[in-house]
């Protein structure tokens, strides 16, 4: 049966581990596996802007022996003129996978329902699961393990990144702490999924308003923009709401001395993170960005060979 990757828990914890192990191997030997030899094409559809996702998927598909086909949805029939279902029925005749960055999670769900090839969520309003594979790969590289470590996500708890952090880290057996204002809560389905995984692995899931509680002793400190794509009109209100949630070097002092700082990027220095943190000694953000490539190649290999 065709496998899709629409949210972090569309794979099992064991499969997550397998994909990360494969990513480590593929990073060491980038051109050894060619599941897209032909070349077979992969559709990369963008309803939102992107630098890392566009480049890492394009390069990754080429590295796997395939042909990346970038579709800016505004220049296609998808959306106003043609339904998601009909688009899936056409694309799956010609491409080996569909990667879609869009708004509603229901969009990728509908594409997957009608596609006979794997559909990959490359960011929706609700989840950014490809980013989490890269982030977990980075944590493993820097700190040597995942299970038992504590991650503190500081900022917009209702964002795609916060939801994905909760689920993916709990799956990896990590303790996850989310520091966010009460009005910016994660999706209940993400929180309940994270709690189920945490119960099985005896790890902790904490949601708090208190940044200091979340950051004290953390091994990994993460933040993301306070204004996600599509929320630009809320900028003024959000900047006011997230006052006090900037990751500063003073707050980093609360974390473990060997803690790493992650940010999916793009970053807004002076808002969610200060420059001396993201450009400082704890930061692993450039490795994190590069790891999008390796993690997604491993993901595509897994999905293409599991079907
Ligand atoms: N982190 C991330 O997804 O970056 P882009 O928006 O540049 O793709
Ligand atoms: N939360 C951010 C992530 C960007 C990669 C957004 O959705 O804009």
């Amino acid at each position: 049966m065709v496998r899709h990757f629409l949210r972090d828990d569309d794979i099992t914890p064991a499969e997550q581990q397998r994909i990360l192990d494969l990513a480590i191997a593929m990073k060491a030997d980038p051109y050894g596996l060619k599941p897209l030899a032909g070349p077979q094409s992969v559709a990369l559809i963008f309803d939102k802007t992107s630098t890392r996702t566009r480049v890492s998927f394009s390069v990754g598909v080429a590295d796997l022996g395939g042909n990346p086909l970038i579709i800016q949805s505004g220049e296609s029939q998808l959306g106003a003129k043609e339904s998601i279902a009909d688009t899936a029925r056409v694309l799956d005749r010609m491409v080996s996978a569909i990667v879609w960055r869009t708004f509603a999670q229901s969009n990728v769900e509908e594409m997957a329902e009608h596609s006979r090839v794997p559909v990959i969520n490359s960011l929706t309003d609700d989840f950014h699961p490809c980013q989490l594979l890269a982030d977990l790969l980075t944590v493993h590289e820097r700190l040597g393990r995942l299970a038992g470590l504590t991650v503190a996500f500081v900022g917009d708890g209702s964002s795609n990144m916060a939801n994905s952090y909760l689920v993916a880290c709990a799956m990896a057996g990590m303790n996850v702490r989310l520091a966010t204002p009460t009005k910016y809560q994660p999706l209940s389905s993400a929180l309940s999924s994270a709690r189920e995984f945490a119960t099985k692995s005896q790890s902790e899931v904490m949601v708090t308003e208190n940044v200091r509680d979340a950051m004290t002793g953390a091994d990994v400190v993460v933040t993301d923009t306070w204004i996600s794509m599509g929320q630009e009109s809320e900028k003024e209100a959000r900047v006011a709401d997230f006052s006090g949630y900037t990751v500063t070097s003073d707050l980093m002092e609360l974390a473990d001395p060997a803690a790493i700082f992650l940010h999916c990027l793009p970053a807004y220095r002076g808002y969610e993170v200060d420059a001396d943190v993201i450009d400082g000694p704890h930061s692993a953000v450039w490795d994190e960005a590069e790891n999008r490539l390796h993690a997604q190649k491993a993901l595509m290999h897994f999905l293409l060979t599991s079907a």
Side-chain angles (χ1 to χ4, degrees):
M1 210 180 69
V2 63
R3 295 287 300 270
H4 305 291
F5 189 56
L6 309 183
R7 42 183 282 165
D8 306 83
D9 50 9
D10 279 343
I11 52 176
T12 65
E15 288 170 340
Q16 181 194 63
Q17 184 58 57
R18 223 169 98 199
I19 292 166
L20 294 174
D21 288 345
L22 184 60
I24 293 167
M26 292 174 85
K27 187 168 180 175
D29 179 16
Y31 310 110
L33 292 172
K34 303 279 183 199
L36 291 168
Q40 299 168 44
S41 293
V42 172
L44 310 177
I45 311 173
F46 289 92
D47 296 355
K48 295 176 176 174
T49 52
S50 166
T51 297
R52 276 145 294 272
T53 303
R54 182 179 163 134
V55 174
S56 58
F57 267 109
S58 300
V59 172
V61 167
D63 285 0
L64 297 179
N67 172 53
L69 188 64
I70 292 178
I71 302 168
Q72 294 296 150
S73 58
E75 296 165 9
S76 78
Q77 314 290 18
L78 173 60
K81 294 184 186 162
E82 192 164 24
S83 70
I84 295 169
D86 285 0
T87 303
R89 290 178 183 120
V90 172
L91 289 181
D92 79 3
R93 302 277 174 125
M94 295 184 242
V95 302
S96 297
I98 299 167
V99 180
W100 192 7
R101 166 167 288 195
T102 185
F103 291 87
Q105 182 73 10
S106 58
N107 288 351
V108 288
E109 287 167 0
E110 195 175 340
M111 186 75 87
E113 196 182 318
H114 297 280
S115 169
R116 294 168 303 174
V117 299
V119 174
I120 297 174
N121 171 4
S122 59
L123 182 147
T124 61
D125 294 343
D126 290 354
F127 292 98
H128 196 0
C130 293
Q131 182 70 52
L132 260 290
L133 291 175
D135 288 20
L136 292 178
L137 177 59
T138 311
V139 174
H140 190 274
E141 277 178 349
R142 290 287 183 121
L143 302 178
R145 65 194 174 105
L146 296 176
L149 293 178
T150 296
V151 56
F153 182 103
V154 178
D156 183 359
S158 66
S159 67
N160 41 22
M161 284 299 295
N163 291 325
S164 278
Y165 253 93
L166 280 171
V167 178
C169 292
M171 287 174 68
M174 300 171 79
N175 304 305
V176 205
R177 301 176 185 164
L178 186 57
T180 189
T182 313
K183 124 180 203 203
Y184 293 93
Q185 292 302 298
L187 276 180
S188 59
S189 75
L191 196 53
S192 59
S193 174
R195 289 203 164 119
E196 270 177 45
F197 287 115
T199 303
K200 283 183 205 145
S201 60
Q202 295 184 311
S203 55
E204 166 205 33
V205 175
M206 176 206 278
V207 180
T208 175
E209 268 195 300
N210 190 313
V211 180
R212 301 179 74 86
D213 285 353
M215 284 190 57
T216 300
D219 300 290
V220 182
V221 176
V222 195
T223 189
D224 183 23
T225 181
W226 295 336
I227 301 126
S228 285
M229 289 179 274
Q231 298 171 339
E232 290 77 5
S233 65
E234 299 168 31
K235 179 172 178 180
E236 208 181 321
R238 283 175 164 267
V239 168
D241 289 344
F242 289 109
S243 157
Y245 286 84
T246 303
V247 178
T248 63
S249 51
D250 281 352
L251 284 171
M252 282 302 289
E253 293 283 320
L254 296 171
D256 187 86
I260 62 167
F261 172 79
L262 297 178
H263 190 310
C264 68
L265 307 174
Y268 301 88
R269 289 170 176 78
Y271 290 87
E272 73 272 12
V273 61
D274 276 348
D276 59 357
V277 174
I278 193 167
D279 300 319
H282 294 285
S283 179
V285 299
W286 311 119
D287 286 352
E288 178 188 6
E290 180 193 329
N291 282 337
R292 292 291 302 278
L293 170 65
H294 310 296
Q296 288 159 192
K297 283 169 66 179
L299 171 71
M300 285 189 279
H301 188 281
F302 169 80
L303 295 173
L304 290 163
T305 56
S306 302

